[in-house]
PDB file of all heavy atoms in Angstrom:
ATOM      1  N   GLU W 144     -58.496 -41.502 -44.676  1.00 95.00           N
ATOM      2  CA  GLU W 144     -59.184 -41.849 -43.421  1.00 95.00           C
ATOM      3  C   GLU W 144     -60.173 -40.772 -42.957  1.00 95.00           C
ATOM      4  O   GLU W 144     -60.469 -40.663 -41.770  1.00 95.00           O
ATOM      5  CB  GLU W 144     -58.152 -42.100 -42.303  1.00 95.00           C
ATOM      6  CG  GLU W 144     -57.149 -43.205 -42.606  1.00 95.00           C
ATOM      7  CD  GLU W 144     -57.649 -44.578 -42.194  1.00 95.00           C
ATOM      8  OE1 GLU W 144     -58.870 -44.721 -42.004  1.00 95.00           O
ATOM      9  OE2 GLU W 144     -56.809 -45.484 -42.067  1.00 95.00           O
ATOM     10  N   ASP W 145     -60.671 -39.953 -43.901  1.00 95.00           N
ATOM     11  CA  ASP W 145     -61.576 -38.847 -43.556  1.00 95.00           C
ATOM     12  C   ASP W 145     -60.961 -37.906 -42.529  1.00 95.00           C
ATOM     13  O   ASP W 145     -61.669 -37.239 -41.770  1.00 95.00           O
ATOM     14  CB  ASP W 145     -62.913 -39.375 -43.029  1.00 95.00           C
ATOM     15  CG  ASP W 145     -63.723 -40.083 -44.101  1.00 95.00           C
ATOM     16  OD1 ASP W 145     -63.671 -39.642 -45.264  1.00 95.00           O
ATOM     17  OD2 ASP W 145     -64.381 -41.086 -43.779  1.00 95.00           O
ATOM     18  N   LEU W 146     -59.609 -37.824 -42.539  1.00 97.00           N
ATOM     19  CA  LEU W 146     -58.904 -36.996 -41.578  1.00 97.00           C
ATOM     20  C   LEU W 146     -58.075 -35.899 -42.232  1.00 97.00           C
ATOM     21  O   LEU W 146     -58.001 -34.783 -41.712  1.00 97.00           O
ATOM     22  CB  LEU W 146     -57.985 -37.864 -40.709  1.00 97.00           C
ATOM     23  CG  LEU W 146     -58.670 -38.748 -39.675  1.00 97.00           C
ATOM     24  CD1 LEU W 146     -57.672 -39.757 -39.107  1.00 97.00           C
ATOM     25  CD2 LEU W 146     -59.253 -37.901 -38.550  1.00 97.00           C
ATOM     26  N   PHE W 147     -57.426 -36.196 -43.347  1.00 96.00           N
ATOM     27  CA  PHE W 147     -56.588 -35.200 -44.009  1.00 96.00           C
ATOM     28  C   PHE W 147     -56.578 -35.459 -45.518  1.00 96.00           C
ATOM     29  O   PHE W 147     -57.096 -36.478 -45.995  1.00 96.00           O
ATOM     30  CB  PHE W 147     -55.166 -35.199 -43.435  1.00 96.00           C
ATOM     31  CG  PHE W 147     -54.420 -36.503 -43.595  1.00 96.00           C
ATOM     32  CD1 PHE W 147     -53.642 -36.759 -44.713  1.00 96.00           C
ATOM     33  CD2 PHE W 147     -54.463 -37.472 -42.604  1.00 96.00           C
ATOM     34  CE1 PHE W 147     -52.940 -37.947 -44.847  1.00 96.00           C
ATOM     35  CE2 PHE W 147     -53.772 -38.663 -42.713  1.00 96.00           C
ATOM     36  CZ  PHE W 147     -53.009 -38.903 -43.846  1.00 96.00           C
ATOM     37  N   ALA W 148     -55.999 -34.522 -46.253  1.00 96.00           N
ATOM     38  CA  ALA W 148     -55.983 -34.602 -47.711  1.00 96.00           C
ATOM     39  C   ALA W 148     -54.555 -34.511 -48.220  1.00 96.00           C
ATOM     40  O   ALA W 148     -53.667 -33.966 -47.558  1.00 96.00           O
ATOM     41  CB  ALA W 148     -56.820 -33.469 -48.309  1.00 96.00           C
ATOM     42  N   TYR W 149     -54.332 -35.067 -49.405  1.00 96.00           N
ATOM     43  CA  TYR W 149     -53.024 -34.906 -50.038  1.00 96.00           C
ATOM     44  C   TYR W 149     -53.148 -34.934 -51.547  1.00 96.00           C
ATOM     45  O   TYR W 149     -54.100 -35.483 -52.107  1.00 96.00           O
ATOM     46  CB  TYR W 149     -52.028 -35.955 -49.548  1.00 96.00           C
ATOM     47  CG  TYR W 149     -52.325 -37.395 -49.898  1.00 96.00           C
ATOM     48  CD1 TYR W 149     -51.820 -37.968 -51.065  1.00 96.00           C
ATOM     49  CD2 TYR W 149     -53.077 -38.199 -49.045  1.00 96.00           C
ATOM     50  CE1 TYR W 149     -52.071 -39.299 -51.373  1.00 96.00           C
ATOM     51  CE2 TYR W 149     -53.329 -39.522 -49.343  1.00 96.00           C
ATOM     52  CZ  TYR W 149     -52.822 -40.073 -50.508  1.00 96.00           C
ATOM     53  OH  TYR W 149     -53.073 -41.389 -50.821  1.00 96.00           O
ATOM     54  N   LEU W 150     -52.190 -34.299 -52.191  1.00 97.00           N
ATOM     55  CA  LEU W 150     -52.078 -34.280 -53.638  1.00 97.00           C
ATOM     56  C   LEU W 150     -50.825 -35.041 -54.044  1.00 97.00           C
ATOM     57  O   LEU W 150     -49.796 -34.941 -53.378  1.00 97.00           O
ATOM     58  CB  LEU W 150     -51.959 -32.841 -54.161  1.00 97.00           C
ATOM     59  CG  LEU W 150     -53.017 -31.821 -53.714  1.00 97.00           C
ATOM     60  CD1 LEU W 150     -52.702 -30.460 -54.343  1.00 97.00           C
ATOM     61  CD2 LEU W 150     -54.417 -32.275 -54.082  1.00 97.00           C
ATOM     62  N   VAL W 151     -50.910 -35.771 -55.140  1.00 97.00           N
ATOM     63  CA  VAL W 151     -49.737 -36.372 -55.767  1.00 97.00           C
ATOM     64  C   VAL W 151     -49.384 -35.483 -56.948  1.00 97.00           C
ATOM     65  O   VAL W 151     -50.227 -35.245 -57.825  1.00 97.00           O
ATOM     66  CB  VAL W 151     -49.999 -37.814 -56.220  1.00 97.00           C
ATOM     67  CG1 VAL W 151     -48.751 -38.412 -56.849  1.00 97.00           C
ATOM     68  CG2 VAL W 151     -50.478 -38.673 -55.057  1.00 97.00           C
ATOM     69  N   VAL W 152     -48.151 -34.984 -56.981  1.00 97.00           N
ATOM     70  CA  VAL W 152     -47.771 -33.964 -57.963  1.00 97.00           C
ATOM     71  C   VAL W 152     -46.519 -34.379 -58.732  1.00 97.00           C
ATOM     72  O   VAL W 152     -45.774 -35.250 -58.312  1.00 97.00           O
ATOM     73  CB  VAL W 152     -47.520 -32.606 -57.271  1.00 97.00           C
ATOM     74  CG1 VAL W 152     -48.747 -32.162 -56.495  1.00 97.00           C
ATOM     75  CG2 VAL W 152     -46.312 -32.675 -56.352  1.00 97.00           C
ATOM     76  N   ASP W 153     -46.323 -33.715 -59.858  1.00 96.00           N
ATOM     77  CA  ASP W 153     -45.067 -33.816 -60.605  1.00 96.00           C
ATOM     78  C   ASP W 153     -44.128 -32.776 -60.009  1.00 96.00           C
ATOM     79  O   ASP W 153     -44.294 -31.575 -60.236  1.00 96.00           O
ATOM     80  CB  ASP W 153     -45.330 -33.548 -62.085  1.00 96.00           C
ATOM     81  CG  ASP W 153     -44.085 -33.708 -62.946  1.00 96.00           C
ATOM     82  OD1 ASP W 153     -42.966 -33.459 -62.455  1.00 96.00           O
ATOM     83  OD2 ASP W 153     -44.224 -34.080 -64.127  1.00 96.00           O
ATOM     84  N   ARG W 154     -43.145 -33.241 -59.226  1.00 93.00           N
ATOM     85  CA  ARG W 154     -42.274 -32.298 -58.507  1.00 93.00           C
ATOM     86  C   ARG W 154     -41.541 -31.361 -59.456  1.00 93.00           C
ATOM     87  O   ARG W 154     -41.286 -30.207 -59.125  1.00 93.00           O
ATOM     88  CB  ARG W 154     -41.253 -33.073 -57.663  1.00 93.00           C
ATOM     89  CG  ARG W 154     -41.778 -33.607 -56.351  1.00 93.00           C
ATOM     90  CD  ARG W 154     -42.008 -32.514 -55.328  1.00 93.00           C
ATOM     91  NE  ARG W 154     -40.816 -31.846 -54.899  1.00 93.00           N
ATOM     92  CZ  ARG W 154     -40.107 -32.176 -53.823  1.00 93.00           C
ATOM     93  NH1 ARG W 154     -40.464 -33.207 -53.086  1.00 93.00           N
ATOM     94  NH2 ARG W 154     -39.047 -31.480 -53.464  1.00 93.00           N
ATOM     95  N   GLY W 155     -41.180 -31.866 -60.637  1.00 94.00           N
ATOM     96  CA  GLY W 155     -40.425 -31.041 -61.570  1.00 94.00           C
ATOM     97  C   GLY W 155     -41.213 -29.856 -62.092  1.00 94.00           C
ATOM     98  O   GLY W 155     -40.623 -28.846 -62.508  1.00 94.00           O
ATOM     99  N   LEU W 156     -42.544 -29.945 -62.083  1.00 96.00           N
ATOM    100  CA  LEU W 156     -43.393 -28.871 -62.604  1.00 96.00           C
ATOM    101  C   LEU W 156     -44.053 -28.047 -61.502  1.00 96.00           C
ATOM    102  O   LEU W 156     -44.682 -27.028 -61.783  1.00 96.00           O
ATOM    103  CB  LEU W 156     -44.484 -29.459 -63.513  1.00 96.00           C
ATOM    104  CG  LEU W 156     -44.001 -30.192 -64.769  1.00 96.00           C
ATOM    105  CD1 LEU W 156     -45.197 -30.779 -65.536  1.00 96.00           C
ATOM    106  CD2 LEU W 156     -43.212 -29.242 -65.673  1.00 96.00           C
ATOM    107  N   LEU W 157     -43.920 -28.487 -60.247  1.00 96.00           N
ATOM    108  CA  LEU W 157     -44.536 -27.770 -59.139  1.00 96.00           C
ATOM    109  C   LEU W 157     -43.905 -26.382 -59.000  1.00 96.00           C
ATOM    110  O   LEU W 157     -42.693 -26.260 -58.821  1.00 96.00           O
ATOM    111  CB  LEU W 157     -44.354 -28.558 -57.841  1.00 96.00           C
ATOM    112  CG  LEU W 157     -45.053 -28.030 -56.588  1.00 96.00           C
ATOM    113  CD1 LEU W 157     -46.565 -28.135 -56.743  1.00 96.00           C
ATOM    114  CD2 LEU W 157     -44.588 -28.807 -55.362  1.00 96.00           C
ATOM    115  N   PRO W 158     -44.692 -25.309 -59.076  1.00 95.00           N
ATOM    116  CA  PRO W 158     -44.119 -23.953 -59.039  1.00 95.00           C
ATOM    117  C   PRO W 158     -43.434 -23.660 -57.705  1.00 95.00           C
ATOM    118  O   PRO W 158     -43.929 -24.047 -56.638  1.00 95.00           O
ATOM    119  CB  PRO W 158     -45.335 -23.043 -59.232  1.00 95.00           C
ATOM    120  CG  PRO W 158     -46.383 -23.909 -59.845  1.00 95.00           C
ATOM    121  CD  PRO W 158     -46.153 -25.287 -59.291  1.00 95.00           C
ATOM    122  N   GLU W 159     -42.314 -22.968 -57.790  1.00 91.00           N
ATOM    123  CA  GLU W 159     -41.624 -22.543 -56.584  1.00 91.00           C
ATOM    124  C   GLU W 159     -42.519 -21.579 -55.809  1.00 91.00           C
ATOM    125  O   GLU W 159     -43.095 -20.657 -56.371  1.00 91.00           O
ATOM    126  CB  GLU W 159     -40.310 -21.858 -56.944  1.00 91.00           C
ATOM    127  CG  GLU W 159     -39.472 -21.452 -55.749  1.00 91.00           C
ATOM    128  CD  GLU W 159     -38.145 -20.829 -56.147  1.00 91.00           C
ATOM    129  OE1 GLU W 159     -37.827 -20.818 -57.356  1.00 91.00           O
ATOM    130  OE2 GLU W 159     -37.433 -20.350 -55.255  1.00 91.00           O
ATOM    131  N   GLY W 160     -42.656 -21.797 -54.535  1.00 94.00           N
ATOM    132  CA  GLY W 160     -43.473 -20.931 -53.702  1.00 94.00           C
ATOM    133  C   GLY W 160     -44.909 -21.388 -53.541  1.00 94.00           C
ATOM    134  O   GLY W 160     -45.634 -20.853 -52.675  1.00 94.00           O
ATOM    135  N   TRP W 161     -45.342 -22.393 -54.322  1.00 96.00           N
ATOM    136  CA  TRP W 161     -46.740 -22.838 -54.235  1.00 96.00           C
ATOM    137  C   TRP W 161     -47.034 -23.461 -52.872  1.00 96.00           C
ATOM    138  O   TRP W 161     -48.051 -23.163 -52.245  1.00 96.00           O
ATOM    139  CB  TRP W 161     -47.058 -23.829 -55.352  1.00 96.00           C
ATOM    140  CG  TRP W 161     -48.510 -24.185 -55.443  1.00 96.00           C
ATOM    141  CD1 TRP W 161     -49.473 -23.526 -56.143  1.00 96.00           C
ATOM    142  CD2 TRP W 161     -49.171 -25.283 -54.782  1.00 96.00           C
ATOM    143  NE1 TRP W 161     -50.702 -24.131 -55.966  1.00 96.00           N
ATOM    144  CE2 TRP W 161     -50.545 -25.226 -55.141  1.00 96.00           C
ATOM    145  CE3 TRP W 161     -48.750 -26.298 -53.938  1.00 96.00           C
ATOM    146  CZ2 TRP W 161     -51.481 -26.147 -54.670  1.00 96.00           C
ATOM    147  CZ3 TRP W 161     -49.685 -27.222 -53.460  1.00 96.00           C
ATOM    148  CH2 TRP W 161     -51.031 -27.137 -53.828  1.00 96.00           C
ATOM    149  N   VAL W 162     -46.143 -24.321 -52.416  1.00 95.00           N
ATOM    150  CA  VAL W 162     -46.347 -24.986 -51.127  1.00 95.00           C
ATOM    151  C   VAL W 162     -46.318 -23.960 -49.994  1.00 95.00           C
ATOM    152  O   VAL W 162     -47.127 -24.029 -49.060  1.00 95.00           O
ATOM    153  CB  VAL W 162     -45.293 -26.085 -50.901  1.00 95.00           C
ATOM    154  CG1 VAL W 162     -45.392 -26.649 -49.487  1.00 95.00           C
ATOM    155  CG2 VAL W 162     -45.456 -27.207 -51.917  1.00 95.00           C
ATOM    156  N   LYS W 163     -45.404 -23.007 -50.072  1.00 94.00           N
ATOM    157  CA  LYS W 163     -45.318 -21.980 -49.039  1.00 94.00           C
ATOM    158  C   LYS W 163     -46.606 -21.165 -48.970  1.00 94.00           C
ATOM    159  O   LYS W 163     -47.131 -20.883 -47.876  1.00 94.00           O
ATOM    160  CB  LYS W 163     -44.138 -21.051 -49.316  1.00 94.00           C
ATOM    161  CG  LYS W 163     -43.973 -19.954 -48.271  1.00 94.00           C
ATOM    162  CD  LYS W 163     -42.791 -19.053 -48.594  1.00 94.00           C
ATOM    163  CE  LYS W 163     -42.653 -17.951 -47.556  1.00 94.00           C
ATOM    164  NZ  LYS W 163     -41.522 -17.034 -47.880  1.00 94.00           N
ATOM    165  N   GLU W 164     -47.150 -20.798 -50.119  1.00 96.00           N
ATOM    166  CA  GLU W 164     -48.388 -20.019 -50.156  1.00 96.00           C
ATOM    167  C   GLU W 164     -49.548 -20.816 -49.554  1.00 96.00           C
ATOM    168  O   GLU W 164     -50.336 -20.287 -48.758  1.00 96.00           O
ATOM    169  CB  GLU W 164     -48.715 -19.622 -51.595  1.00 96.00           C
ATOM    170  CG  GLU W 164     -49.951 -18.751 -51.727  1.00 96.00           C
ATOM    171  CD  GLU W 164     -50.202 -18.325 -53.160  1.00 96.00           C
ATOM    172  OE1 GLU W 164     -49.268 -18.411 -53.976  1.00 96.00           O
ATOM    173  OE2 GLU W 164     -51.341 -17.908 -53.455  1.00 96.00           O
ATOM    174  N   LEU W 165     -49.644 -22.091 -49.914  1.00 97.00           N
ATOM    175  CA  LEU W 165     -50.694 -22.932 -49.351  1.00 97.00           C
ATOM    176  C   LEU W 165     -50.505 -23.082 -47.838  1.00 97.00           C
ATOM    177  O   LEU W 165     -51.473 -23.061 -47.077  1.00 97.00           O
ATOM    178  CB  LEU W 165     -50.686 -24.305 -50.023  1.00 97.00           C
ATOM    179  CG  LEU W 165     -51.735 -25.304 -49.519  1.00 97.00           C
ATOM    180  CD1 LEU W 165     -53.145 -24.816 -49.844  1.00 97.00           C
ATOM    181  CD2 LEU W 165     -51.496 -26.685 -50.133  1.00 97.00           C
TER     182      LEU W 165
END
Side-chain angles (χ1 to χ4, degrees):
E144 302 272 18
D145 292 324
L146 287 168
F147 61 90
Y149 65 91
L150 308 180
V151 181
V152 303
D153 183 330
R154 280 288 295 266
L156 298 177
L157 186 67
E159 184 177 354
W161 188 88
V162 173
K163 180 180 179 182
E164 183 177 342
L165 180 65

